[in-house]
Amino acid sequence: IMKNNLTLSCFIVSVFILLLYSCKEESNIYYLDSDADVPAQVTNINVSATPGGALITYEIPNDKNLSYVKAVYEIQPGVYREAKSSYYVNNVYLEGFGDTLTHSVRIYSVGRNEKLSDPLSIDVVPLTPPVKSVFETLVVKPTFGGLNVSFSNVTQADLAAVVIVDTIGDKSIWAEVTTFYTDALLANYSSRGFEPIEQNFGIYLRDRWSNKSDTLLVTLTPLYEEMLDKDNMKALALPTDAPVLSPYILSNLIDGTSGVAGNIYASMHDTPLPEWFTLDLGSRDGNKAVLSRFKMFHRPAQYAYNSAVPLKFEIWGANDPDPQGSWEGWFYLGSFESYKPSGLPLGQTNADDIAYAVTQGEDFEFEITPAPYRYFRFKTIDTYGGGGQVVLAELTFWGQVVNE
């Protein structure tokens, strides 16, 4: 009897599974049925213009065959985009317009079998796109070795600022020299590598849909810049400076050997943050320097972007520092933060990280040209690991030497 009951139970379960499978198959067949009706159109359409785009809202039809809503529109002559939104959402967002002209948009209801309803045609007039509104805020001025470009980007749009130069001096042949990508609220960067002679430059903005602004043409003379002579520098040990972990002395930072293993600067373990060290950039001739930028080289290989590398730091300048090491007579020149190209977590790096921090050196610019100083302090606010030790391979400075 028990055997018969078991057999009957197994039969019932098998039948139940088959029924479930059959229902599932029928359901799938329904959704993919090419003969299913075309879904109903959306209704009560409203358009809200946005910078370079538009938000389209509507009422969703009560149609079980509806899968999603699609809008098709032209952002540039011959360049079409699609925006899609599922039947759970009552709006679709259009973006990528580079002007404030009237654009025709076709709206389709799309079935689960990908059948399209007849299109509903509407017009949208975008607000001024960021690529054009941001262009109006461009400020260009000469800087060391080139030109400085700044602008305000209130919508924090992804933009590329492109610098071009007049290659032969008659504005007939232009060459692209620098492209800077940003979505920062306030952008500020410099294009360098030019001789200190009067030259013609152009700057325009481009967004991720290849819309372009007008080109701002300027004529300016880049300021003279040179790499400061490291033979003219020396480490200056003041009483409040971070204690050094021997043999990784401070002078290793300015000896021009950033790629040599072990030839580094390191402060003592567990030195409390903030901590600082001091350099005399005019020890041989007593001259001062107006700094334009500097490079910070990390300790090679696996130590790059690791625990003891400065993450946030400040640069200070002085001409008559207190020999007891206080902050009297020191002037704040700028705050800086280390940049890791890969964005990988602590302890992980890739080839781009190593190339930028170890081979090329992290490049930092002073947003405001500082006054001339002879002595400079590097004040570490935080490290990648949050600990108190600071380890670096090399520092290199650029600017102008002021002869006195």
Side-chain angles (χ1 to χ4, degrees):
I1 295 174
M2 291 181 63
K3 182 177 180 180
N4 290 338
N5 288 340
L6 181 60
T7 301
L8 179 61
S9 298
C10 290
F11 174 76
I12 293 173
V13 170
S14 298
V15 170
F16 180 70
I17 292 174
L18 286 172
L19 286 172
L20 284 177
Y21 181 77
S22 176
C23 290
K24 184 177 180 181
E25 286 295 301
E26 288 181 2
S27 179
N28 286 339
I29 290 171
Y30 170 77
Y31 287 132
L32 300 177
D33 185 3
S34 61
D35 294 328
D37 293 335
V38 170
Q41 295 171 321
V42 298
T43 57
N44 195 23
I45 297 175
N46 288 288
V47 178
S48 298
T50 62
L55 179 66
I56 300 176
T57 59
Y58 44 77
E59 290 186 10
I60 301 170
N62 184 18
D63 189 330
K64 61 183 179 180
N65 189 37
L66 177 65
S67 177
Y68 60 92
V69 174
K70 177 172 71 173
V72 180
Y73 56 103
E74 188 178 32
I75 60 171
Q76 299 161 16
V79 180
Y80 290 87
R81 287 185 54 82
E82 292 185 356
K84 299 178 181 180
S85 188
S86 78
Y87 64 90
Y88 294 109
V89 182
N90 72 336
N91 62 76
V92 62
Y93 183 65
L94 314 184
E95 58 183 351
F97 296 111
D99 53 48
T100 55
L101 303 176
T102 300
H103 294 264
S104 177
V105 180
R106 300 189 303 277
I107 300 176
Y108 300 88
S109 294
V110 185
R112 299 181 187 277
N113 54 10
E114 291 299 313
K115 282 188 176 181
L116 276 66
S117 70
D118 290 334
L120 293 170
S121 293
I122 63 169
D123 289 334
V124 302
V125 180
L127 301 180
T128 303
V131 73
K132 292 195 172 182
S133 60
V134 173
F135 176 78
E136 298 300 322
T137 71
L138 272 176
V139 175
V140 181
K141 59 185 179 181
T143 189
F144 290 98
L147 65 161
N148 177 263
V149 179
S150 61
F151 52 81
S152 174
N153 182 8
V154 294
T155 62
Q156 294 188 272
D158 290 315
L159 295 173
V162 183
V163 175
I164 58 177
V165 64
D166 178 9
T167 58
I168 58 177
D170 63 358
K171 300 183 181 180
S172 63
I173 302 177
W174 297 82
E176 182 178 317
V177 291
T178 309
T179 301
F180 176 73
Y181 300 91
T182 183
D183 62 356
L185 182 64
L186 297 173
N188 186 303
Y189 81 102
S190 297
S191 178
R192 303 186 190 271
F194 302 98
E195 294 294 322
I197 57 175
E198 186 175 86
Q199 298 175 67
N200 300 316
F201 296 94
I203 304 93
Y204 67 86
L205 302 179
R206 184 182 68 234
D207 65 19
R208 56 196 178 99
W209 300 281
S210 295
N211 297 308
K212 294 180 180 180
S213 69
D214 294 332
T215 300
L216 175 62
L217 298 179
V218 296
T219 300
L220 54 80
T221 302
L223 304 179
Y224 173 75
E225 174 192 61
E226 64 179 332
M227 188 174 78
L228 301 188
D229 184 2
K230 293 189 177 184
D231 288 338
N232 196 30
M233 304 177 189
K234 76 172 184 179
L236 183 64
L238 295 178
T240 62
D241 288 359
V244 175
L245 178 64
S246 181
Y248 308 117
I249 56 178
L250 184 59
S251 59
N252 288 344
L253 272 181
I254 49 175
D255 64 1
T257 55
S258 62
V260 179
N263 193 48
I264 60 172
Y265 160 76
S267 63
M268 292 288 288
H269 295 282
D270 300 321
T271 304
L273 292 174
E275 64 175 84
W276 50 88
F277 56 78
T278 309
L279 296 173
D280 180 354
L281 301 192
S283 66
R284 186 178 61 193
D285 56 22
N287 287 330
K288 304 171 184 177
V290 177
L291 296 186
S292 57
R293 60 189 174 104
F294 63 96
K295 284 196 173 190
M296 180 177 79
F297 292 82
H298 294 212
R299 187 179 179 185
Q302 71 268 29
Y303 300 103
Y305 296 105
N306 219 318
S307 57
V309 173
L311 173 61
K312 297 179 180 180
F313 56 94
E314 299 171 352
I315 301 294
W316 293 67
N319 286 318
D320 188 21
D322 177 9
Q324 299 304 312
S326 76
W327 284 92
E328 183 179 352
W330 287 94
F331 297 89
Y332 170 82
L333 305 183
S335 294
F336 305 89
E337 184 168 350
S338 175
Y339 171 69
K340 190 176 186 180
S342 70
L344 291 169
L346 179 67
Q348 299 180 36
T349 56
N350 63 14
D352 289 338
D353 296 334
I354 301 303
Y356 181 60
V358 177
T359 307
Q360 302 169 13
E362 283 198 75
D363 199 38
F364 299 94
E365 300 177 359
F366 291 90
E367 290 189 8
I368 300 175
T369 302
Y373 294 106
R374 173 177 169 178
Y375 304 96
F376 292 87
R377 256 184 177 172
F378 187 108
K379 182 180 181 180
T380 300
I381 307 300
D382 196 9
T383 60
Y384 270 90
Q389 187 185 39
V390 167
V391 176
L392 283 174
E394 190 80 10
L395 287 173
T396 302
F397 299 89
W398 281 263
Q400 284 185 359
V401 175
V402 178
N403 298 311
E404 293 186 350

